[in-house]
Amino acid sequence: MDTLVTTAPAPAPTAAPAALRRLYFVRFAFAAVWAALVFATADTLGPLSATLLVIYPLFDVACAVVDVRSAAEDGGPVRHLYLNIALSAAAAVGLAVAATSGIPAVLRVWGAWAVTAGLVQLVVGVARRRMGGQWAMIASGGISTLAGVSFAAQAGGADASLKTLAGYAFLGGVFFLVSALRLGRAAKGA
């Protein structure tokens, strides 16, 4: 007697990891260019550096919106991404105001944003860990939280400088690059 064996079709690969990978590459490129521009203008808090400071969290808002759309289409977690959008929008407003008060005020606002956004990034990375390539996002979230505390501490010192923000952004970009590369490896291994 022949037994009929039926197999369920293999689940279709999701587009979310590929979209996230592209987004991470874009974030790396933006962070590298932004960091170079901030480093070149960091000696004073003028109109260009103030504009750059506000642009960074606005870019983060745009990236989070793209991320939400991709994750929602795939049924992934989006709640924390909405929180990230709100935090980054508030940071942009806060930085615009702080830029009128000087570098210490900017470092305090940036520090608060780095702490809160870092915690959100940590939670999102943990929620996405099965997707692969998220250990760098988890590490980045933890480092961002610690860096935020150091920015607030630096704001009270005589060595307050925007150059530390350039280094922070570049390192964050490197973490996005590593995650993008790891997502590519995870997709090939699947």
Side-chain angles (χ1 to χ4, degrees), residues 21-149:
R21 185 171 188 246
R22 285 188 302 273
L23 180 63
Y24 285 176
F25 278 128
V26 169
R27 290 190 75 141
F28 164 71
F30 176 83
V33 170
W34 185 90
L37 291 171
V38 168
F39 193 79
T41 62
D43 292 334
T44 61
L45 185 55
L48 178 58
S49 56
T51 301
L52 288 168
L53 291 169
V54 173
I55 285 173
Y56 197 91
L58 290 177
F59 181 77
D60 195 59
V61 167
C63 289
V65 168
V66 169
D67 199 353
V68 163
R69 288 181 181 161
S70 174
E73 288 175 9
D74 194 48
V78 296
R79 182 180 63 198
H80 293 100
L81 295 172
Y82 285 120
L83 178 57
N84 187 52
I85 291 168
L87 289 170
S88 295
V93 172
L95 288 166
V97 172
T100 64
S101 298
I103 292 174
V106 166
L107 290 174
R108 285 184 191 96
V109 171
W110 195 285
W113 178 45
V115 167
T116 56
L119 291 172
V120 170
Q121 185 178 23
L122 182 68
V123 169
V124 170
V126 168
R128 289 178 165 168
R129 70 186 176 281
R130 289 191 177 143
M131 183 183 295
Q134 295 301 301
W135 68 266
M137 291 295 91
I138 294 167
S140 179
I143 291 169
S144 180
T145 302
L146 296 174
V149 172

Side-chain angles (χ1 to χ4, degrees), residues 42 103-104 107 150-165:
I103 292 174
L107 290 174
S150 75
F151 295 143
Q154 183 190 10
D159 61 342
S161 170
L162 297 177
K163 288 183 180 182
T164 57
L165 301 183

Side-chain angles (χ1 to χ4, degrees), residues 174-189:
V174 169
F175 278 113
F176 279 114
L177 177 62
V178 169
S179 279
L181 296 173
R182 298 290 298 170
L183 278 170
R185 284 188 184 162
K188 287 179 184 174

